[in-house]
Amino acid sequence: MGIAHFELSSRTERDITAIKEVALRHIQDVSYESLKVETRRTDKTFPLTSPQVSAEVGGYLVTKTGTRADMHNPDLVCWVKITHNAAYISTEKIPGVGGLPVGVSGKVLVMLSGGIDSPVAAWQMIKRGAKAVFVHFYSYPYTDKASLEKVIELAQILAVPNYRSTVYLVPFAELQQIIVAATPSPFRVLLYRRMMTRIAQRVATMENAEALVTGESLGQVASQTLTNLRSIEAIADIPILRPLIGEDKAEIIEKAQRIGTFDVSTRPHQDCCSLFVPKHPATRASVTDLADAESGLDVDTLVEEALNNLEKRVVG
Ligand code: ATP
Ligand code: MG
């Protein structure tokens, strides 16, 4: 059934006649014995009030179809919505995505990996009114370029509710090699994550973003235990938001399918975090473990060098 709509002509009598005819056509295949018309105007300059439109259209439908009007318990409700330039007619209420207008909640920097979870995390924040900017770390030439292409496409998909997307691309391979050479292997993923977080924070400052967002979900992989999340977060000075923290993979996949990111996310790519990591990474690395493991690294210089090689793309 869906929604029927047409442009208004600015001639009230003609518009009311059109609303009546379109409404009659729209309800002709439905079976009912009683009906009610409910009108909403988003444009209050339309010369008839909402109750007047409902009465006119309702009277017409009842006469034409030989049914009766029922204001309290109708079999069928016919909704009429009048905007500044169009009328919409439907017999069902179709829920929208909900949420808040993009930007009213400020700006966040989303760490976008190319996987399933982070685009969904971004979407949850955009839905709550945050403007999202993205950062992606890649290990090319040690991995292929697929993650870069995927991240650009994902940012484009997310740009629909978000208007336009800015994506920062950070080459990460050199830094990973330095970490590999200087630190114990069970901590590598967590040390990658801490470096990513430090670099992302600087990008957030450049962009006036007030929080980082990740697609982490409690217990999903070894790096996402409470202890490990805490040890990553220990070096952050701005909030790290994790909108998917309490969601199961199946729920996340269902959302990814609904928002249209799933097919891009599931295309194969080589994840930078799986590079040079052991089969059994630490599941409980304390803040001190990681600080000790990093003690041989010149963290500040490594962050500056990464920022020097930052590339900015605007998509959407
Ligand atoms: P995703 O499905 O989003 O890839 P995941 O389940 O694979 O998540 P991890 O690989 O542990 O989980 O990554 C956790 C989070 O860290 C991601 O959701 C993302 O926010 C961030 N992240 C991981 N890798 C990258 C990357 N290469 N660039 C930017 N952010 C990343
Ligand atoms: Mg991933």
Side-chain angles (χ1 to χ4, degrees), residues 102-108 128-132 208-210:
V102 174
V104 297
S105 303
K107 203 192 261 186
V108 294
R128 292 307 301 161
K131 165 90 184 147
N208 287 323
E210 294 190 88

Side-chain angles (χ1 to χ4, degrees), residues 25-310:
R25 273 205 306 279
H26 198 67
I27 64 173
Q28 69 192 0
D29 298 329
V30 193
S31 104
Y32 56 92
E33 285 174 10
S34 59
L35 70 83
K36 173 186 182 179
V37 174
E38 280 265 9
T39 306
R40 297 267 181 284
R41 294 176 311 161
T42 56
D43 177 17
K44 305 291 183 201
T45 63
F46 190 78
L48 267 60
T49 64
S50 296
Q52 282 171 332
V53 175
S54 296
E56 280 252 1
V57 178
Y60 177 80
L61 295 180
V62 165
T63 314
K64 285 285 181 187
T65 57
T67 50
R68 65 190 163 77
D70 184 338
M71 293 304 110
H72 303 293
N73 195 19
D75 295 340
L76 181 77
V77 179
C78 179
W79 306 91
V80 176
K81 180 162 179 174
I82 297 173
T83 67
H84 71 288
N85 64 353
Y88 296 81
I89 288 136
S90 78
T91 51
E92 53 190 334
K93 275 206 158 176
I94 300 169
V97 287
L100 297 171
V102 174
V104 297
S105 303
K107 203 192 261 186
V108 294
L109 179 68
V110 180
M111 300 176 66
L112 197 60
S113 63
I116 296 170
D117 304 334
S118 37
V120 177
W123 185 82
Q124 305 255 96
M125 296 306 298
I126 294 166
K127 192 179 86 167
R128 292 307 301 161
K131 165 90 184 147
V133 177
F134 303 97
V135 64
H136 174 66
F137 298 84
Y138 65 94
S139 305
Y140 180 80
Y142 296 93
T143 60
D144 58 26
K145 277 192 171 162
S147 79
L148 289 166
E149 286 152 17
K150 288 176 71 175
V151 161
I152 298 292
E153 264 185 70
L154 289 167
Q156 262 159 351
I157 295 170
L158 291 163
V160 178
N162 196 28
Y163 306 142
R164 252 155 80 236
S165 293
T166 303
V167 188
Y168 288 90
L169 302 171
V170 188
F172 200 54
E174 267 185 47
L175 216 163
Q176 283 179 288
Q177 283 200 314
I178 293 167
I179 292 175
V180 167
T183 66
S185 66
F187 296 145
R188 277 176 197 162
V189 175
L190 301 172
L191 297 175
Y192 295 165
R193 262 315 128 58
R194 273 162 64 113
M195 289 309 294
M196 283 185 185
T197 306
R198 291 186 177 104
I199 297 162
Q201 276 197 155
R202 293 285 299 277
V203 178
T205 308
M206 281 159 46
E207 276 284 338
N208 287 323
E210 294 190 88
L212 301 182
V213 174
T214 76
E216 286 156 323
S217 151
L218 188 61
Q220 197 187 83
V221 290
S223 56
Q224 298 174 14
T225 63
L226 268 186
T227 310
N228 284 350
L229 292 177
R230 180 179 170 205
S231 302
I232 297 168
E233 185 143 349
I235 50 86
D237 329 306
I238 60 172
I240 300 181
L241 305 179
R242 301 180 172 94
L244 308 182
I245 196 71
E247 307 238 359
D248 298 335
K249 197 74 186 184
E251 294 171 295
I252 299 170
I253 288 174
E254 199 262 320
K255 280 188 186 157
Q257 283 166 331
R258 194 147 38 86
I259 65 174
T261 53
F262 184 77
D263 289 347
V264 176
S265 288
T266 47
R267 278 195 335 235
H269 79 276
Q270 290 170 303
D271 188 326
C272 75
C273 288
S274 54
L275 209 60
F276 319 123
V277 297
K279 241 199 170 124
H280 299 290
T283 51
R284 288 177 138 268
S286 71
V287 180
T288 334
D289 288 338
L290 297 189
D292 288 348
E294 273 177 356
S295 59
L297 300 178
D298 182 355
V299 168
D300 292 343
T301 308
L302 293 173
V303 170
E304 288 310 324
E305 276 170 8
L307 289 168
N308 287 340
N309 295 314
L310 198 64

